[in-house]
Structures are given as C-alpha cells and as structure tokens.
Amino acid sequence: MSSSASADFTTPPHPAGTPGDTAPLVPYGWDEEWAAAFAPHAGQGLLPGRVLRVDRGQCDVVTATGTVRADTEFVVPRDPMRVVCTGDWCAVDPGGDPRYVRTLLPRRTAMVRSTSSKRSEGQILAANVDHVIVCVSLAAELDLGRVERFLTLAWESGAAPVVALTKSDLVPEPATLAHLVEDVEGAAPGVSVLTVSAALGEGTDVLAAIAAGGTSVLIGQSGAGKSTLANALHGEDAMEVHVVRDVDGKGRHTTTTRNLLVLPGGGVLIDTPGLRGVGLWDAEGGVGQVFAEIEELAERCRFQDCAHIAEPDCAVLAAAADGTLPQRRLDSYRKLLRENQYIVAKTDARVRAELRREWKSRGAQGRAAQAAKRGRLR
Ligand code: GDP
Ligand code: ZN
C-alpha cells in the first residue's frame, strides 16, 4: 500500500491510523463482517472506507488514514441502485489518479425513495442503516396513518424502526401521554415507541442508547423535531463537527457538510437532505410488517388470495366485524396497499412510456435514414 497517497487526504476528524490498521473505522461502524466483505479487495492497494457525503459525482470517504475525496462514477452506470450513497462501505484507491470508488461492499440495508415525477427510478437515500427513528410530533393530533406510512418505508429498508414521539413536554398529563403511546403502539406492532422531549432533555438518553448500537437515520414530517433531536444527539459541538473546512487547489476555503456523523455517545447518524421528504416506494413487504396482525389473520382466510373485501370465510373481515381488528387499521392497510400498487403501476407506466419514446425516436431515425437512402438511390 502506497503511503505517498497521504498527501491526497484532507484532515481526518480523528487521529490517523496506518492503512493496515482499521481501528479508526470502528466508530464509523466497521466490524468483522465488513472486514470479511472487504478482504477480497485488500490485496490491490485499496483501502476500506465509509462514504460521508456525495455531491456532484464525487464523495468523501473516511478511511483509516484520513478522508479521501473520490469520484463516484463506476460499476454499472445508470443503475440508480448502484450509485454510491452516504453510508456505503466501499473500497477506494487512495493513490489513484483519478481516484475512484472501486467497489461498493454489499449493502446490508438501503433507504430508498421514489424520485421526482420526472424520473421513475428509485433513489438511494442512505445505505447500511440499522435503526430508522420515525419522529412523530405530539404537538399536533396523531395521524396514525402517517405513522404507518413511515414505518412501512422503514421496514422496507431492512433496518429496524423505532418511533420517537417528540415534544412530550407539550403533553404534561401522564395519563394522556400513556394513551397516545398506546395508540401508536397499536399501529406499530413489534416496534418500540418512545417519548422524547428535546426541550426538557427527557428520553434523549434512551434514543442515544439506541443510536449507539449502529447507524441511525431520523425520518418524519417536516416540523416533527428531527433537527432538534439530531442536535441533541450530536451534543454542543455539533456545528464544529458538522462543518469541515477544506482548502481547495486555489487556496480558497470551501465549507462542506458531512451527512454522516459519529455521535459522541457512540453510533453513527446519517442526515441527508433527501431523507427529509421520503415517500413510499414499492413497499409492499413493509406494508406486511406494519400490518403483521392482518397478515396473520389472512392466513386463516378461506382463499389464499383473499382480498378481504367481500369473500366468504374471510378471517380479516370477521375480526373487523367483531372488533378485534380496529376498522381504522383495516382501512389504513387497504389504503397503503392501494397507494403502493398505484406507485408501482405508475412507475411501470413511466418506464414503458420512456421505452416507447426511445423506440419511436429510433424508428424515426431509421425512417429518416431509409428516406435518405431512397433519395440517394433515386
Ligand atoms: P424538523 O423539521 O423535523 O427538523 O423539526 P425541527 O427540529 O426543526 O423542530 C420543529 C419545531 O419544533 C421547532 O420550532 C422546534 O423548536 C420545536 N421543537 C423541537 N423539539 C421540541 C421539544 O422537545 N419540545 C417542544 N416544545 N418543541 C420542540
Ligand atoms: Zn380475507
């Protein structure tokens, strides 16, 4: 491994190690599994690293010896799922010119969103996330459907969701708070529901303990209290850590924002602009997990493909009729399934439309070429 590469590094946020020593990567989530995934690449002068941020075809990758700025263009271009994203573990060639991210180590989880209406592909928002903290404000009336929606997205990523009911200081009555927690628990089987108040500093320690066990992201509606919680998790010196000044070739100072931060209490927090407005994307699997009790009931329906609408011997309808299954849950389940199918159908339609356009223009070119040929022949 070449040590001349160190000149290419910007100032690392921690004591620099040697290329063979991966200990400095441990706070970033490096473990034996990542070491095993990286092992096949170790012999080629490549270093393992984690992507801190991505912008304009380049990314910052933290390695054991410092932060490397590398090009992201590689592997299968135009496949949005193979695009380097914040949280990815990869192999970089620190001495390369230009430097490239050579390989993405297989992702454990990925947060995906549907892109703007112009494009039909999914977009990766964050990779290798362990905990998705769904923030729900107690300042507004609870919208359980929305909670379910965010949970669906969280489950779909492969990460474990947690619900943080924020601004608990605004619900001073303990009994009322307990009821709200219970309501949300009903919409979130198998998910821990916590109450936090960044204002009072209550519950943030529990959240910090969860965050310490891996990589976390905060999702939720605008105003849910995500930034405030992120600041509470970062601690007082958040801005110092958040902003890294790099001197570019011309000696100017440019300010860059990291989207992946090591928390003072341990663990990593990813906060990308895209994570702030996520929607549903092909989340049928996630729907099943959010509505686990309905899927369980469905196993007892007479028909395997029962749609639980008007079928005879439908266990889901029976449970709704006798009140074991709240009608709201069933409605929300149907709504999410419909919405999800709509997104998938819309996406497919867009892909088909794009293909048609491409074929049409190729056809037009073909016809133009033929006409030109005929013209010449005439
Ligand atoms: P984001 O859009 O999800 O990042 O939400 P913010 O963190 O910007 O918070 C939205 C608003 O809620 C801000 O005005 C915060 O001051 C307020 N807020 C955040 N956390 C708390 C809290 O624990 N208690 C109270 N009362 N207000 C809070
Ligand atoms: Zn049924």
Side-chain angles (χ1 to χ4, degrees), residues 281-304:
W281 171 259
D282 196 7
E284 219 160 338
V287 173
Q289 270 162 303
V290 175
F291 297 92
E293 85 274 32
I294 297 184
E295 302 268 302
E296 224 166 85
L297 284 168
E299 282 171 24
R300 299 206 300 271
C301 293
R302 187 203 292 182
F303 302 111
Q304 238 185 352

PDB file of all heavy atoms in Angstrom, residues 281-304:
ATOM      1  N   TRP A 281     -42.113   3.752  -1.612  1.00  0.00           N
ATOM      2  CA  TRP A 281     -41.563   3.223  -2.851  1.00  0.00           C
ATOM      3  C   TRP A 281     -41.633   1.713  -2.815  1.00  0.00           C
ATOM      4  O   TRP A 281     -40.907   1.079  -2.078  1.00  0.00           O
ATOM      5  CB  TRP A 281     -40.121   3.700  -3.062  1.00  0.00           C
ATOM      6  CG  TRP A 281     -39.446   3.031  -4.195  1.00  0.00           C
ATOM      7  CD1 TRP A 281     -38.551   2.000  -4.113  1.00  0.00           C
ATOM      8  CD2 TRP A 281     -39.601   3.304  -5.579  1.00  0.00           C
ATOM      9  NE1 TRP A 281     -38.155   1.620  -5.367  1.00  0.00           N
ATOM     10  CE2 TRP A 281     -38.780   2.405  -6.282  1.00  0.00           C
ATOM     11  CE3 TRP A 281     -40.385   4.222  -6.295  1.00  0.00           C
ATOM     12  CZ2 TRP A 281     -38.705   2.386  -7.676  1.00  0.00           C
ATOM     13  CZ3 TRP A 281     -40.295   4.210  -7.673  1.00  0.00           C
ATOM     14  CH2 TRP A 281     -39.467   3.315  -8.344  1.00  0.00           C
ATOM     15  N   ASP A 282     -42.505   1.152  -3.612  1.00  0.00           N
ATOM     16  CA  ASP A 282     -42.544  -0.293  -3.742  1.00  0.00           C
ATOM     17  C   ASP A 282     -42.401  -0.985  -2.394  1.00  0.00           C
ATOM     18  O   ASP A 282     -41.530  -1.819  -2.200  1.00  0.00           O
ATOM     19  CB  ASP A 282     -41.407  -0.731  -4.671  1.00  0.00           C
ATOM     20  CG  ASP A 282     -41.639  -2.168  -5.150  1.00  0.00           C
ATOM     21  OD1 ASP A 282     -42.711  -2.713  -4.859  1.00  0.00           O
ATOM     22  OD2 ASP A 282     -40.753  -2.727  -5.779  1.00  0.00           O
ATOM     23  N   ALA A 283     -43.248  -0.593  -1.471  1.00  0.00           N
ATOM     24  CA  ALA A 283     -43.033  -1.002  -0.093  1.00  0.00           C
ATOM     25  C   ALA A 283     -43.989  -2.092   0.370  1.00  0.00           C
ATOM     26  O   ALA A 283     -44.361  -2.156   1.522  1.00  0.00           O
ATOM     27  CB  ALA A 283     -43.138   0.218   0.816  1.00  0.00           C
ATOM     28  N   GLU A 284     -44.368  -2.973  -0.527  1.00  0.00           N
ATOM     29  CA  GLU A 284     -45.359  -3.978  -0.174  1.00  0.00           C
ATOM     30  C   GLU A 284     -44.902  -4.864   0.976  1.00  0.00           C
ATOM     31  O   GLU A 284     -45.673  -5.201   1.855  1.00  0.00           O
ATOM     32  CB  GLU A 284     -45.689  -4.838  -1.392  1.00  0.00           C
ATOM     33  CG  GLU A 284     -47.153  -5.164  -1.460  1.00  0.00           C
ATOM     34  CD  GLU A 284     -47.566  -5.567  -2.861  1.00  0.00           C
ATOM     35  OE1 GLU A 284     -46.884  -5.224  -3.835  1.00  0.00           O
ATOM     36  OE2 GLU A 284     -48.590  -6.246  -2.956  1.00  0.00           O
ATOM     37  N   GLY A 285     -43.627  -5.231   0.941  1.00  0.00           N
ATOM     38  CA  GLY A 285     -43.069  -6.048   2.019  1.00  0.00           C
ATOM     39  C   GLY A 285     -43.200  -5.335   3.344  1.00  0.00           C
ATOM     40  O   GLY A 285     -43.594  -5.908   4.348  1.00  0.00           O
ATOM     41  N   GLY A 286     -42.909  -4.034   3.310  1.00  0.00           N
ATOM     42  CA  GLY A 286     -43.004  -3.216   4.512  1.00  0.00           C
ATOM     43  C   GLY A 286     -44.431  -3.139   5.015  1.00  0.00           C
ATOM     44  O   GLY A 286     -44.678  -3.197   6.212  1.00  0.00           O
ATOM     45  N   VAL A 287     -45.383  -3.055   4.093  1.00  0.00           N
ATOM     46  CA  VAL A 287     -46.794  -2.985   4.493  1.00  0.00           C
ATOM     47  C   VAL A 287     -47.146  -4.231   5.302  1.00  0.00           C
ATOM     48  O   VAL A 287     -47.798  -4.159   6.339  1.00  0.00           O
ATOM     49  CB  VAL A 287     -47.726  -2.853   3.260  1.00  0.00           C
ATOM     50  CG1 VAL A 287     -49.180  -2.945   3.684  1.00  0.00           C
ATOM     51  CG2 VAL A 287     -47.480  -1.529   2.545  1.00  0.00           C
ATOM     52  N   GLY A 288     -46.669  -5.374   4.838  1.00  0.00           N
ATOM     53  CA  GLY A 288     -46.929  -6.631   5.530  1.00  0.00           C
ATOM     54  C   GLY A 288     -46.421  -6.628   6.955  1.00  0.00           C
ATOM     55  O   GLY A 288     -47.058  -7.172   7.856  1.00  0.00           O
ATOM     56  N   GLN A 289     -45.282  -5.990   7.161  1.00  0.00           N
ATOM     57  CA  GLN A 289     -44.707  -5.975   8.510  1.00  0.00           C
ATOM     58  C   GLN A 289     -45.404  -4.988   9.426  1.00  0.00           C
ATOM     59  O   GLN A 289     -45.582  -5.246  10.607  1.00  0.00           O
ATOM     60  CB  GLN A 289     -43.215  -5.672   8.440  1.00  0.00           C
ATOM     61  CG  GLN A 289     -42.405  -6.957   8.308  1.00  0.00           C
ATOM     62  CD  GLN A 289     -41.015  -6.688   7.809  1.00  0.00           C
ATOM     63  OE1 GLN A 289     -40.836  -6.100   6.744  1.00  0.00           O
ATOM     64  NE2 GLN A 289     -40.035  -7.105   8.555  1.00  0.00           N
ATOM     65  N   VAL A 290     -45.804  -3.865   8.846  1.00  0.00           N
ATOM     66  CA  VAL A 290     -46.501  -2.870   9.665  1.00  0.00           C
ATOM     67  C   VAL A 290     -47.866  -3.407  10.088  1.00  0.00           C
ATOM     68  O   VAL A 290     -48.350  -3.114  11.164  1.00  0.00           O
ATOM     69  CB  VAL A 290     -46.674  -1.544   8.892  1.00  0.00           C
ATOM     70  CG1 VAL A 290     -47.505  -0.563   9.694  1.00  0.00           C
ATOM     71  CG2 VAL A 290     -45.319  -0.949   8.576  1.00  0.00           C
ATOM     72  N   PHE A 291     -48.468  -4.209   9.203  1.00  0.00           N
ATOM     73  CA  PHE A 291     -49.791  -4.759   9.490  1.00  0.00           C
ATOM     74  C   PHE A 291     -49.673  -6.263   9.744  1.00  0.00           C
ATOM     75  O   PHE A 291     -50.438  -7.052   9.208  1.00  0.00           O
ATOM     76  CB  PHE A 291     -50.745  -4.437   8.352  1.00  0.00           C
ATOM     77  CG  PHE A 291     -50.956  -2.963   8.175  1.00  0.00           C
ATOM     78  CD1 PHE A 291     -50.156  -2.231   7.306  1.00  0.00           C
ATOM     79  CD2 PHE A 291     -51.935  -2.298   8.893  1.00  0.00           C
ATOM     80  CE1 PHE A 291     -50.335  -0.858   7.162  1.00  0.00           C
ATOM     81  CE2 PHE A 291     -52.120  -0.928   8.755  1.00  0.00           C
ATOM     82  CZ  PHE A 291     -51.313  -0.206   7.892  1.00  0.00           C
ATOM     83  N   ALA A 292     -48.694  -6.609  10.569  1.00  0.00           N
ATOM     84  CA  ALA A 292     -48.401  -8.028  10.822  1.00  0.00           C
ATOM     85  C   ALA A 292     -49.641  -8.787  11.292  1.00  0.00           C
ATOM     86  O   ALA A 292     -49.869  -9.918  10.874  1.00  0.00           O
ATOM     87  CB  ALA A 292     -47.287  -8.139  11.852  1.00  0.00           C
ATOM     88  N   GLU A 293     -50.467  -8.153  12.142  1.00  0.00           N
ATOM     89  CA  GLU A 293     -51.628  -8.883  12.676  1.00  0.00           C
ATOM     90  C   GLU A 293     -52.645  -9.162  11.564  1.00  0.00           C
ATOM     91  O   GLU A 293     -53.335 -10.179  11.594  1.00  0.00           O
ATOM     92  CB  GLU A 293     -52.241  -8.132  13.868  1.00  0.00           C
ATOM     93  CG  GLU A 293     -53.257  -7.041  13.542  1.00  0.00           C
ATOM     94  CD  GLU A 293     -52.601  -5.690  13.248  1.00  0.00           C
ATOM     95  OE1 GLU A 293     -51.476  -5.680  12.702  1.00  0.00           O
ATOM     96  OE2 GLU A 293     -53.223  -4.653  13.548  1.00  0.00           O
ATOM     97  N   ILE A 294     -52.720  -8.297  10.567  1.00  0.00           N
ATOM     98  CA  ILE A 294     -53.657  -8.534   9.465  1.00  0.00           C
ATOM     99  C   ILE A 294     -53.134  -9.670   8.582  1.00  0.00           C
ATOM    100  O   ILE A 294     -53.892 -10.556   8.173  1.00  0.00           O
ATOM    101  CB  ILE A 294     -53.877  -7.233   8.639  1.00  0.00           C
ATOM    102  CG1 ILE A 294     -54.525  -6.166   9.538  1.00  0.00           C
ATOM    103  CG2 ILE A 294     -54.732  -7.505   7.408  1.00  0.00           C
ATOM    104  CD1 ILE A 294     -54.893  -4.878   8.842  1.00  0.00           C
ATOM    105  N   GLU A 295     -51.844  -9.655   8.335  1.00  0.00           N
ATOM    106  CA  GLU A 295     -51.251 -10.728   7.525  1.00  0.00           C
ATOM    107  C   GLU A 295     -51.437 -12.083   8.238  1.00  0.00           C
ATOM    108  O   GLU A 295     -51.656 -13.106   7.602  1.00  0.00           O
ATOM    109  CB  GLU A 295     -49.768 -10.461   7.284  1.00  0.00           C
ATOM    110  CG  GLU A 295     -49.507  -9.122   6.597  1.00  0.00           C
ATOM    111  CD  GLU A 295     -49.440  -9.215   5.074  1.00  0.00           C
ATOM    112  OE1 GLU A 295     -48.602  -9.982   4.579  1.00  0.00           O
ATOM    113  OE2 GLU A 295     -50.227  -8.522   4.392  1.00  0.00           O
ATOM    114  N   GLU A 296     -51.359 -12.025   9.572  1.00  0.00           N
ATOM    115  CA  GLU A 296     -51.535 -13.247  10.356  1.00  0.00           C
ATOM    116  C   GLU A 296     -52.973 -13.757  10.235  1.00  0.00           C
ATOM    117  O   GLU A 296     -53.199 -14.943  10.021  1.00  0.00           O
ATOM    118  CB  GLU A 296     -51.224 -12.939  11.819  1.00  0.00           C
ATOM    119  CG  GLU A 296     -50.374 -13.987  12.510  1.00  0.00           C
ATOM    120  CD  GLU A 296     -49.841 -13.426  13.813  1.00  0.00           C
ATOM    121  OE1 GLU A 296     -50.580 -13.508  14.817  1.00  0.00           O
ATOM    122  OE2 GLU A 296     -48.707 -12.884  13.807  1.00  0.00           O
ATOM    123  N   LEU A 297     -53.917 -12.812  10.355  1.00  0.00           N
ATOM    124  CA  LEU A 297     -55.330 -13.166  10.203  1.00  0.00           C
ATOM    125  C   LEU A 297     -55.580 -13.746   8.814  1.00  0.00           C
ATOM    126  O   LEU A 297     -56.310 -14.724   8.656  1.00  0.00           O
ATOM    127  CB  LEU A 297     -56.211 -11.922  10.393  1.00  0.00           C
ATOM    128  CG  LEU A 297     -56.430 -11.419  11.821  1.00  0.00           C
ATOM    129  CD1 LEU A 297     -57.059 -10.029  11.800  1.00  0.00           C
ATOM    130  CD2 LEU A 297     -57.342 -12.392  12.595  1.00  0.00           C
ATOM    131  N   ALA A 298     -54.938 -13.148   7.819  1.00  0.00           N
ATOM    132  CA  ALA A 298     -55.167 -13.523   6.419  1.00  0.00           C
ATOM    133  C   ALA A 298     -54.833 -14.993   6.168  1.00  0.00           C
ATOM    134  O   ALA A 298     -55.401 -15.615   5.276  1.00  0.00           O
ATOM    135  CB  ALA A 298     -54.360 -12.620   5.497  1.00  0.00           C
ATOM    136  N   GLU A 299     -53.943 -15.521   6.987  1.00  0.00           N
ATOM    137  CA  GLU A 299     -53.587 -16.938   6.820  1.00  0.00           C
ATOM    138  C   GLU A 299     -54.769 -17.846   7.112  1.00  0.00           C
ATOM    139  O   GLU A 299     -54.785 -19.000   6.698  1.00  0.00           O
ATOM    140  CB  GLU A 299     -52.407 -17.297   7.739  1.00  0.00           C
ATOM    141  CG  GLU A 299     -51.081 -16.816   7.179  1.00  0.00           C
ATOM    142  CD  GLU A 299     -49.937 -16.961   8.173  1.00  0.00           C
ATOM    143  OE1 GLU A 299     -50.048 -17.812   9.075  1.00  0.00           O
ATOM    144  OE2 GLU A 299     -48.957 -16.217   8.024  1.00  0.00           O
ATOM    145  N   ARG A 300     -55.751 -17.323   7.844  1.00  0.00           N
ATOM    146  CA  ARG A 300     -56.913 -18.141   8.191  1.00  0.00           C
ATOM    147  C   ARG A 300     -58.104 -17.877   7.268  1.00  0.00           C
ATOM    148  O   ARG A 300     -59.199 -18.387   7.489  1.00  0.00           O
ATOM    149  CB  ARG A 300     -57.308 -17.893   9.655  1.00  0.00           C
ATOM    150  CG  ARG A 300     -56.184 -18.263  10.636  1.00  0.00           C
ATOM    151  CD  ARG A 300     -56.734 -18.634  11.993  1.00  0.00           C
ATOM    152  NE  ARG A 300     -57.494 -17.549  12.611  1.00  0.00           N
ATOM    153  CZ  ARG A 300     -56.928 -16.611  13.392  1.00  0.00           C
ATOM    154  NH1 ARG A 300     -55.645 -16.638  13.636  1.00  0.00           N
ATOM    155  NH2 ARG A 300     -57.672 -15.670  13.933  1.00  0.00           N
ATOM    156  N   CYS A 301     -57.921 -17.026   6.255  1.00  0.00           N
ATOM    157  CA  CYS A 301     -58.989 -16.807   5.273  1.00  0.00           C
ATOM    158  C   CYS A 301     -59.163 -18.080   4.446  1.00  0.00           C
ATOM    159  O   CYS A 301     -58.211 -18.838   4.258  1.00  0.00           O
ATOM    160  CB  CYS A 301     -58.654 -15.647   4.341  1.00  0.00           C
ATOM    161  SG  CYS A 301     -58.605 -14.056   5.171  1.00  0.00           S
ATOM    162  N   ARG A 302     -60.371 -18.285   3.923  1.00  0.00           N
ATOM    163  CA  ARG A 302     -60.609 -19.499   3.145  1.00  0.00           C
ATOM    164  C   ARG A 302     -59.771 -19.500   1.859  1.00  0.00           C
ATOM    165  O   ARG A 302     -59.194 -20.496   1.471  1.00  0.00           O
ATOM    166  CB  ARG A 302     -62.094 -19.644   2.784  1.00  0.00           C
ATOM    167  CG  ARG A 302     -62.347 -21.004   2.133  1.00  0.00           C
ATOM    168  CD  ARG A 302     -63.581 -21.040   1.265  1.00  0.00           C
ATOM    169  NE  ARG A 302     -64.829 -20.909   2.016  1.00  0.00           N
ATOM    170  CZ  ARG A 302     -66.028 -20.962   1.439  1.00  0.00           C
ATOM    171  NH1 ARG A 302     -66.135 -21.135   0.124  1.00  0.00           N
ATOM    172  NH2 ARG A 302     -67.111 -20.811   2.144  1.00  0.00           N
ATOM    173  N   PHE A 303     -59.734 -18.335   1.210  1.00  0.00           N
ATOM    174  CA  PHE A 303     -58.987 -18.243  -0.050  1.00  0.00           C
ATOM    175  C   PHE A 303     -57.600 -17.665   0.194  1.00  0.00           C
ATOM    176  O   PHE A 303     -57.454 -16.673   0.909  1.00  0.00           O
ATOM    177  CB  PHE A 303     -59.735 -17.380  -1.058  1.00  0.00           C
ATOM    178  CG  PHE A 303     -61.107 -17.894  -1.346  1.00  0.00           C
ATOM    179  CD1 PHE A 303     -62.239 -17.198  -0.926  1.00  0.00           C
ATOM    180  CD2 PHE A 303     -61.275 -19.095  -2.037  1.00  0.00           C
ATOM    181  CE1 PHE A 303     -63.510 -17.688  -1.175  1.00  0.00           C
ATOM    182  CE2 PHE A 303     -62.551 -19.592  -2.287  1.00  0.00           C
ATOM    183  CZ  PHE A 303     -63.674 -18.892  -1.855  1.00  0.00           C
ATOM    184  N   GLN A 304     -56.625 -18.283  -0.439  1.00  0.00           N
ATOM    185  CA  GLN A 304     -55.251 -17.837  -0.234  1.00  0.00           C
ATOM    186  C   GLN A 304     -55.027 -16.418  -0.764  1.00  0.00           C
ATOM    187  O   GLN A 304     -54.265 -15.649  -0.198  1.00  0.00           O
ATOM    188  CB  GLN A 304     -54.295 -18.805  -0.933  1.00  0.00           C
ATOM    189  CG  GLN A 304     -53.312 -19.401   0.050  1.00  0.00           C
ATOM    190  CD  GLN A 304     -52.280 -20.267  -0.623  1.00  0.00           C
ATOM    191  OE1 GLN A 304     -52.342 -20.561  -1.821  1.00  0.00           O
ATOM    192  NE2 GLN A 304     -51.303 -20.682   0.149  1.00  0.00           N
TER     193      GLN A 304
END
